[in-house]
Amino acid sequence: MSLFLCVDCGGSKTSAVIADRSGTILGRALGGPSNFAYMSAAAFTDAVRVAVSNALRTCVSPPSINPVSLPPNTEIFASAWFGISGVDSLAAVANASAALSALLGIPLGPRLVVANDTHLLAAPLRLHNDIKHAVAAIAGTGSCVVSFQHEPSGMLSELARTGGWGWILGDEGGGFHVGRETMRQMMYDAARLSLGMETLPPSSLKAKVLERFGIVGVENAPEVLPVVHLPEPSTAEAAASVPSYLLVAREKRLSELAPLVFEAAFKDKDPFALNVLKACAEGLADQIAMLCREPGEDPSLKPRAVEANEAMLCFGGSLVGIEDYRALVREALAKKGHVFKYVEFVDDAAAVGAVGLAFLGRT
């Protein structure tokens, strides 16, 4: 038992990283989406199996050309840490843990840690001896915000959380929100035009969205509504007769607009697109601020809240991986009086987690 496995399970991909006891990364691989809330236990397990079995190819002796079968014949994992999008309750943790224990051959218990994917982001808190609190904010396809405390044992304990409610109820600042807000603002502008209130400047984002869905003329923007609301075809025969974008799950039709919005905002300098992103950044900042104590606020009113100026903000996810977007979130936080002592973007959460597990294994 000499290997330490960390797996970051998200709405877009599964990332598995394996380290040895010294903290040297021996293997890594990717799998498909593995948001536990949006898929069956079997589909989730399959995504994890693909990532872990491929990551193991360079960890066995001799190295394997083919993926390594799971569960392994011997107990090769000293411990494993899973950060899973969609694991937001004790019941979800129990269900995911049971499936992963059977897949990996690791008994339920302290060697198998299963938590929400935000837990991986807070790992850099261990590197700062002058603070003991962190807020982890994920904004990729969806979003979630969780605050943590660094315990004397070296482990991180969760203090509070908000978000992670899915594309219908939340995901503020994530890809779903960006796509949804784009559509909403286009509808508002169409309403303004119908009233004869104003003449709106051209927008490269509006043009990109309308072109994507085969709509001609900004005055016809309301024709995007069926794109949002129509379900996917239920039969192959029906699928053959509809545009390709209607074959995509409804929520993905929104989240897949995010690259268009970022390109229009930061490359084209489109004011409409930039305003969409400012609104989304504000939504994510509101979520982060909810877990923080207001400057000068009585600590007894929110005893589990953190003080930003004595805490770390850890970002993770594809959207906040874009520096200009992170800047919008930090600007919105500053306006609310929350300026964190340290801010870090965790680009490779699974690698950070695997190395952290190896460190704990040596102590």
Side-chain angles (χ1 to χ4, degrees), residues 117-193:
D117 51 348
T118 51
H119 286 235
L120 298 180
L121 292 185
L125 175 59
R126 296 191 177 102
L127 304 177
H128 298 278
N129 295 325
D130 56 334
I131 58 172
K132 62 178 183 178
H133 295 118
V135 175
I138 287 181
T141 305
S143 71
C144 186
V145 182
V146 182
S147 57
F148 296 91
Q149 179 168 288
H150 190 192
E151 302 293 350
S153 65
M155 299 302 293
L156 302 177
S157 62
E158 183 176 318
L159 291 173
R161 67 165 53 220
T162 186
W165 304 331
W167 72 285
I168 294 177
L169 299 179
D171 283 334
E172 287 83 354
F176 294 137
H177 186 195
V178 170
R180 185 172 65 238
E181 188 65 22
T182 298
M183 293 293 206
R184 284 170 52 83
Q185 292 303 325
M186 288 179 66
M187 292 301 99
Y188 278 128
D189 278 359
R192 294 184 184 98
L193 288 173

Side-chain angles (χ1 to χ4, degrees), residues 102-260:
L103 175 66
L104 301 174
I106 302 176
L108 294 173
R111 287 173 50 204
L112 178 61
V113 179
V114 175
N116 184 269
D117 51 348
T118 51
H119 286 235
L120 298 180
L121 292 185
L125 175 59
R126 296 191 177 102
L127 304 177
H128 298 278
N129 295 325
D130 56 334
I131 58 172
K132 62 178 183 178
H133 295 118
V135 175
I138 287 181
T141 305
S143 71
C144 186
V145 182
V146 182
S147 57
F148 296 91
Q149 179 168 288
H150 190 192
E151 302 293 350
S153 65
M155 299 302 293
L156 302 177
S157 62
E158 183 176 318
L159 291 173
R161 67 165 53 220
T162 186
W165 304 331
W167 72 285
I168 294 177
L169 299 179
D171 283 334
E172 287 83 354
F176 294 137
H177 186 195
V178 170
R180 185 172 65 238
E181 188 65 22
T182 298
M183 293 293 206
R184 284 170 52 83
Q185 292 303 325
M186 288 179 66
M187 292 301 99
Y188 278 128
D189 278 359
R192 294 184 184 98
L193 288 173
S194 72
L195 291 169
M197 293 173 58
E198 53 188 300
T199 300
L200 300 173
S203 162
S204 66
L205 175 57
K206 292 180 185 178
K208 293 174 193 289
V209 172
L210 295 177
E211 180 182 5
R212 182 184 186 91
F213 298 125
I215 299 170
V216 178
V218 68
E219 69 279 3
N220 295 318
E223 292 180 21
V224 301
L225 293 178
V227 173
V228 176
H229 296 297
L230 283 177
E232 310 92 271
S234 58
T235 65
E237 182 178 353
S241 61
V242 301
S244 59
Y245 54 77
L246 289 180
L247 302 179
V248 178
R250 282 181 294 172
E251 65 271 20
K252 294 293 186 182
R253 296 173 207 165
L254 293 176
S255 62
E256 289 179 354
L257 295 178
L260 301 181

Side-chain angles (χ1 to χ4, degrees), residues 23-39:
T24 301
I25 293 176
L26 302 180
R28 61 166 66 231
L30 298 176
S34 53
N35 184 311
F36 196 73
Y38 289 167
M39 58 203 318

